[in-house]
């Protein structure tokens, strides 16, 4: 058989997958750990407003339910463990200083779940915000180390809590950088971001690249202070 015959008999390559062909996530339940804080509450509000089933988690169930009642749109409140058990996707929006202990305590409840870490390890002094570097490399990598039976991704770092919670704003004009190890998991998170009007989810690498994404928030805080803004990000030519 000649080389030309071999080429003709070789199986045709499958066409490349359209990166914007994302799954339907409308039926998935989203839990938000730290959902009574500004960022978590804002994400819960926007996702519920878009028609997603959302459960807010907190250490205290009554506090979570009070926040849920305030948001409306069918949002429910529960303690963190119940929120993790009942959710398909769990967004981690807890303060950095409680990040490790919270996830470690929920390892069993989060097993098998798609976890989306949006925590930014930051310090503050008289010069403003600055990035911290966790021993594992990033908050997302810490989550992956603490949750070996979960599918950990990172996203929703650069969103203004003020804009998220403002009912007068119909669209959030920003892109969401999504990081993760498995394409299928990343695409679910991209699709979830796209449920919020004005947002797009953009694949931005594996979890080893999460540190600089988390750290960029320190720069955005500086931008916001100088320009009295609520800055976000747009990725060009995509």
């Amino acid at each position: 058989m000649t080389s030309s015959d071999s080429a003709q008999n070789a199986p045709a390559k499958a066409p490349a997958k359209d990166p914007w062909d994302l799954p339907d996530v409308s039926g998935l339940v989203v839990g938000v750990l730290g959902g009574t804080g500004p960022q978590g509450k804002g994400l819960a509000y926007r996702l519920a407003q878009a028609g997603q089933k959302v459960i807010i988690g907190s250490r205290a169930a009554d506090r979570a339910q009070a926040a849920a009642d305030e948001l409306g749109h069918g949002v429910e409140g529960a303690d963190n463990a119940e929120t993790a058990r009942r959710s398909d996707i769990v967004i981690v929006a807890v303060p950095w200083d409680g990040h490790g202990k919270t996830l470690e305590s929920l390892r069993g409840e989060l097993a098998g779940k798609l976890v989306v870490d949006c925590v930014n390890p930051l310090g503050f002094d008289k010069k403003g915000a600055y990035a911290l570097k966790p021993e594992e490399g990033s908050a997302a990598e810490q989550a992956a180390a603490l949750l070996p039976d979960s599918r950990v991704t990172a996203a929703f770092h650069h969103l203004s809590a003020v804009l998220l919670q403002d009912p007068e704003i119909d669209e959030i004009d920003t892109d969401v950088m999504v990081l993760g190890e498995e394409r299928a998991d990343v695409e679910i998170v991209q699709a979830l971001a796209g449920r919020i009007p004005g947002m797009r989810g953009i694949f931005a690498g594996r979890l080893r690249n999460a540190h600089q994404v988390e750290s960029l928030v320190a720069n955005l805080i500086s931008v916001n202070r100088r320009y009295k803004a609520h800055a976000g990000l747009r990725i060009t030519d995509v």
Side-chain angles (χ1 to χ4, degrees):
M1 181 182 293
T2 65
S3 58
S4 60
D5 291 334
S6 298
Q8 288 175 357
N9 294 330
K13 283 187 177 180
K17 186 179 186 299
D18 180 353
W20 295 111
D21 180 16
L22 300 174
D24 177 9
V25 297
S26 59
L28 299 180
V29 177
V30 178
V32 184
L33 305 182
T36 59
Q39 189 83 350
K41 196 172 181 181
L43 278 169
Y45 171 66
R46 290 291 167 175
L47 289 169
Q49 191 181 48
Q52 209 76 35
K53 176 60 186 173
V54 177
I55 306 171
I56 279 181
S58 178
R59 284 178 295 180
D62 55 348
R63 188 175 174 214
Q65 190 57 55
D69 292 341
E70 183 183 337
L71 292 179
H73 297 286
V75 176
E76 294 183 41
D79 64 36
N80 283 332
E82 183 181 348
T83 298
R85 280 194 296 268
R86 293 178 56 197
S87 301
D88 301 303
I89 304 173
V90 179
I91 297 174
V92 181
V94 299
W96 166 241
D97 58 7
H99 181 263
K101 286 184 178 179
T102 299
L103 295 184
E104 194 170 21
S105 71
L106 297 171
R107 182 177 295 170
E109 290 83 358
L110 290 171
K113 306 288 184 178
L114 176 54
V115 174
V116 187
D117 201 299
C118 70
V119 175
N120 303 301
L122 297 175
F124 295 87
D125 60 19
K126 62 183 180 180
K127 294 182 180 180
Y130 60 95
L132 303 175
K133 188 157 189 180
E135 182 179 345
E136 297 85 354
S138 64
E141 287 169 296
Q142 183 183 87
L146 292 172
L147 304 172
D149 298 318
S150 303
R151 296 136 55 207
V152 177
T153 61
F156 301 116
H157 301 91
H158 306 136
L159 305 181
S160 163
V162 173
L163 297 184
L164 287 172
Q165 294 185 79
D166 189 342
E168 300 299 315
I169 293 176
D170 295 325
E171 294 189 2
I172 307 292
D173 181 24
T174 194
D175 286 331
V176 173
M177 300 176 76
V178 184
L179 302 97
E181 300 302 318
E182 299 295 334
R183 179 164 184 166
D185 294 336
V186 169
E187 289 182 346
I188 289 171
V189 181
Q190 287 181 262
L192 187 66
R195 296 273 287 159
I196 300 174
M199 280 191 198
R200 295 187 307 173
I202 304 288
F203 170 66
R206 294 178 179 269
L207 289 186
R208 68 181 183 180
N209 292 319
H211 171 64
Q212 58 263 35
V213 173
E214 296 169 1
S215 300
L216 187 59
V217 173
N219 303 89
L220 291 177
I221 289 172
S222 297
V223 170
N224 290 337
R225 287 181 174 174
R226 175 64 60 90
Y227 298 100
K228 304 293 189 291
H230 302 293
L233 295 179
R234 275 295 187 201
I235 307 299
T236 62
D237 199 32
V238 173

